[in-house]
Amino acid sequence: MSKPKTQRRLPASEAMVKLRTLRTSARKLNLVAQSIRGLRVQRALNELEFSHKRIAKDVRKALYSAISNAENNHNLDIDSLVVAEAFVGKNLIMKRFSPRARGRASRIEKPFSEITIVVRELGEAA
């Protein structure tokens, strides 16, 4: 006996990608995610291409993956896709120690974060 097929969390007109363990803080990543929310995918790709933020390159790869998921897995038209959601979450934190004066040490935290991008196909009305 096999397990029953799990229901899809998203509607039929949406595709999603989740990118984990990005080596930046969630606060910095949210600035990039904010710049693409609600844009058409071509405009969002251009926005990420010319962004000065280092992490924008990885977010651009994730957006390409979401577009590919929409086209290949869900048969959506890529010309009518829009970035419906782009939200950021915290992930693990690497803890390192740095020597300080008088034999002490201070903790350095190197955060990781994750981003979820949902693209949605617009109807004929848009």
Side-chain angles (χ1 to χ4, degrees):
M1 288 290 182
S2 63
K3 293 195 296 190
K5 186 176 178 183
T6 57
Q7 292 294 323
R8 214 169 156 242
R9 285 187 285 168
L10 297 172
S13 63
E14 293 183 355
M16 179 182 98
V17 68
K18 186 166 192 170
L19 192 60
R20 298 171 190 217
T21 62
L22 284 169
R23 182 58 192 88
T24 187
S25 69
R27 191 171 176 174
K28 291 177 185 177
L29 182 59
N30 197 31
L31 292 173
V32 176
Q34 218 171 7
S35 68
I36 64 168
R37 272 186 208 123
L39 298 180
R40 288 188 171 269
V41 290
Q42 190 57 45
R43 174 89 192 263
L45 287 171
N46 289 339
E47 188 83 25
L48 293 171
E49 175 73 27
F50 297 108
S51 174
H52 293 291
K53 302 284 186 183
R54 175 189 62 86
I55 204 65
K57 181 179 173 184
D58 293 329
V59 175
R60 188 166 182 265
K61 286 181 186 179
L63 184 56
Y64 265 124
S65 179
I67 295 167
S68 298
N69 287 345
E71 184 181 15
N72 296 321
N73 299 345
H74 308 300
N75 299 323
L76 301 179
D77 181 26
I78 60 171
D79 294 328
S80 64
L81 287 178
V82 67
V83 179
E85 300 173 26
F87 53 91
V88 174
K90 291 182 180 179
N91 208 324
L92 63 96
I93 296 176
M94 280 196 307
K95 288 147 185 115
R96 299 293 181 260
F97 289 92
S98 176
R100 301 312 242 181
R102 298 176 158 186
R104 296 189 177 113
S106 65
R107 188 160 83 173
I108 296 174
E109 294 183 342
K110 299 186 175 188
F112 284 74
S113 54
E114 56 188 41
I115 185 167
T116 305
I117 299 174
V118 177
V119 292
R120 180 180 299 142
E121 186 177 37
L122 290 179
E124 294 298 321

